[in-house]
Amino acid sequence: MTTFDRFDPVSLDALVAEASFLTRVDRKYVVPRERLEAVLTMLDPGTRVLEIDGARDFAYESVYFDTPDLLSFRMAAQPRRRRFKLRTRSYLDTGTSYLEIKTRGARGTTVKERDEYDPSARDRLTDDARDDVADAFATIGVASERADELDATLLTRYRRATMLAADGAGRATVDTALEWIEPDGHGFALPHLAIVETKSGARPSDVDRALWRAGHRPATVSKYATGLAALHPTLPRNRWARLLRGPFDPSHRAAPATHPTTATHKEDASCSASPTAALSSPTTALSSNVAA
């Protein structure tokens, strides 16, 4: 991704150290790839980009879990004060995975739990994981036994670059090569789109202001919920209607890539048990490949 070559690098330790002091306000933007360059040219030249071993964008994969009646999706679509999101997130370049449980209770307080997870099990929930989810459900008034109903519902893949503002007062992620794939192998890609998420303090970040000057406004978008609504037009969709009629419209979609993005040797070794065994059709080339 040569778009970010204009900026100096920042190490992961430095990024975490500077960003950890933020009282975060998060905003998301859906930006056409061809308009992204114009936004980046407006940024302070002191902006830095995360660089690890010479790389500046990295392969991610998330597997989302839901009940047969799509409880997590429907809580987000309503929206309801009480809700949850459950996924494994894998960093394919390093071969590491995490289980992430995000809940919001009746008072609107969001709690996010994140624990390292076996990469070979990232397409399913272990007994210990279900126990953890059951405990989390109890805190938001969802019956604990519903954790036994959870199964892999949607897989997303993308590549992510992370920027740190020149003053250290904000950071932003830029996700490209976006793909959504269901358990039966059905899915779509949005190769001409980027999702930008900013995280800043009380004041908007430099990236927010650049996006506004370029005519982009914050959008309500969830990779899981918006993607699932795009795949199933009969599902509730009012919350994402503008996006579904616009950049997520079928006319802008492409088939998911049939080959993985560039992987390191460590990724091949650590993530050899591919979640596509459960999340793609054996009749497609996706059944033997993993990408972010």
Side-chain angles (χ1 to χ4, degrees), residues 52-53 58-59 90-97 264 266-267 270-271:
I52 301 174
D53 295 333
F58 307 94
S90 298
Y91 302 86
L92 300 184
D93 297 286
T94 59
T96 54
S97 298
T264 64
K266 186 172 183 180
E267 175 196 332
S270 301
C271 296

Side-chain angles (χ1 to χ4, degrees), residues 1-10 36-51 54-56 161-166 172 174 206-207 210:
M1 187 182 289
T2 57
T3 302
F4 298 96
D5 288 347
R6 71 180 76 241
F7 303 118
D8 288 336
V10 62
L36 185 60
E37 183 70 21
V39 173
L40 297 179
T41 59
M42 299 181 196
L43 298 181
D44 189 308
T47 300
R48 290 173 287 167
V49 175
L50 174 64
E51 182 175 293
R56 292 193 169 198
T162 302
M163 299 182 292
L164 181 67
V174 180
D206 188 28
V207 178

Side-chain angles (χ1 to χ4, degrees), residues 144-227:
S144 298
E145 57 267 25
R146 299 220 65 183
D148 293 331
E149 303 175 27
L150 294 163
D151 203 356
T153 304
L154 189 66
L155 179 148
T156 64
R157 299 167 172 167
Y158 52 94
R159 298 193 68 82
R160 169 168 289 183
T162 302
M163 299 182 292
L164 181 67
D167 60 2
R171 58 188 173 100
T173 57
V174 180
D175 296 345
T176 56
L178 299 155
E179 296 186 353
W180 290 260
I181 301 173
E182 292 190 288
D184 63 0
H186 178 56
F188 69 96
L190 292 175
H192 305 299
L193 206 66
I195 294 179
V196 181
E197 182 170 2
T198 64
K199 305 175 191 297
S200 63
R203 295 187 303 170
S205 69
D206 188 28
V207 178
D208 286 303
R209 290 189 291 268
L211 285 160
W212 297 346
R213 290 196 298 272
H216 304 289
R217 292 295 179 265
T220 300
V221 60
S222 157
K223 286 191 180 75
Y224 174 57
T226 310

